[in-house]
Amino acid sequence: MNELRKDPITKRWVILALDRGKRPNDYSYKEEEKETYCPFDYGNEESTPQEVLAFRNEGTKPDSSGWWVRVVPNKFPALNGKELNKEPHGMYDKMTGYGYHEVIVETPEHNTNFSEMSKKQLKEVIWAYVKRFNEIKKDKNIKYIQIFKNKGKRAGASLKHPHSQLIATPIIPMTILDEIEGAKDYYNFRDRCVFCDIIRQEIDEEERVVFQTENFLTYVPYASRFPYESSIIPKFHSDNFGELEKDDELITELAGVFYNLFRRFKRVLKDPPFNVVLHTAPFAEDTNEFYHWHFEIIPRLTNIAGFEWGTGFYINTVSPEKAAKDLRKEEEEI
């Protein structure tokens, strides 16, 4: 039976059109490979801008071989202005394109992805996220840092080589503002964190939990927008992703969570295209009492069409409970 569900944070409604649903294998999607030269490949370091961070063998020089994770400015950046200037344009507002746009090259191996990487390599990738996050945060003109990964052309990736991206902006994105406003409203009304309440209820009900570790919960949100959409959230209260730098053991555990989830995606959904996005607190915003940083993982199994663009409603053809059950079937050692 179809139904509508409301997200308790953003107050966004979604439609669960379950009679339109498919089996997991019906979503399998294979992309054609036409790439001939890859600037991110080991040995092609001269093809990228100069690295800003690299984990490499001792004694090797920057922008040379010998690395296992490498971060470089995007050659075609969305933002890269040297100065931040704001000015009106009649009734409109504009500013210079100030910000950062970087690429995290996750591994020297071209033909691999998150579902095939070792836990050790995934930990190194997360460390690169954290270190660049905290370094760029020092720039007082930056108000938000978005870390994200597009895997596959359908998810927006222009190169196959495993990589993530980071874009730092001088404004706070509306998506994050909506989350913060909703979480703050909930806190002011109930004097509790909405994310903590979600974690408690999901663990108690179990229906939408994929798996959990001591410090992290992986679950399918109650009002999921997309089939098999999943979230990774810390059970402990933390609004700032950069705080992970203080605890190597937490990063190790989070790497195990990534390892576990993406191997399930590979087996259940045949390694689909996907997007990973980090949501974290903006800078200079006091959100510690009511916000949690978290990762949203969206397999790109369906397309957004006219109804979604016109209304803001998403139509999900797989119930969150079924999605979690399908992913739970594939047990994976962390």
Side-chain angles (χ1 to χ4, degrees), residues 60-182:
T60 58
K61 296 180 179 179
D63 302 307
S64 68
S65 300
W67 54 275
W68 57 89
V69 174
R70 190 165 177 260
V71 184
V72 298
N74 193 302
K75 201 169 185 177
F76 307 100
L79 296 172
N80 66 345
K82 302 302 181 184
E83 294 183 9
L84 177 60
N85 294 314
K86 304 177 182 180
E87 59 182 279
H89 180 76
M91 64 169 288
Y92 304 110
D93 295 309
K94 67 177 182 178
M95 65 179 72
T96 50
Y98 185 87
Y100 299 77
H101 190 172
E102 298 179 352
V103 177
I104 299 96
V105 185
E106 300 162 355
T107 172
E109 297 182 45
H110 182 87
N111 292 308
T112 190
N113 53 59
F114 269 8
S115 65
E116 297 170 346
M117 287 185 198
S118 67
K119 285 178 274 189
K120 180 180 179 182
Q121 187 66 23
L122 286 167
K123 178 181 177 180
E124 296 295 280
V125 172
I126 295 170
W127 262 117
Y129 291 171
V130 171
K131 285 186 173 295
R132 289 308 297 157
F133 182 93
N134 284 333
E135 181 62 28
I136 293 173
K137 183 180 177 181
K138 296 175 183 177
D139 185 336
K140 299 306 179 183
N141 287 323
I142 294 300
K143 294 186 177 179
Y144 191 75
I145 295 176
Q146 178 65 71
I147 294 173
F148 62 100
K149 176 179 174 64
N150 305 328
K151 186 259 186 183
K153 290 183 179 179
R154 193 170 188 173
S158 57
L159 292 172
K160 180 185 177 184
H161 195 117
H163 67 283
S164 304
Q165 297 184 65
L166 176 157
I167 296 181
T169 64
I171 56 176
I172 303 171
M174 283 302 302
T175 298
I176 303 303
L177 286 174
D178 287 346
E179 274 193 353
I180 289 172
E181 182 179 355

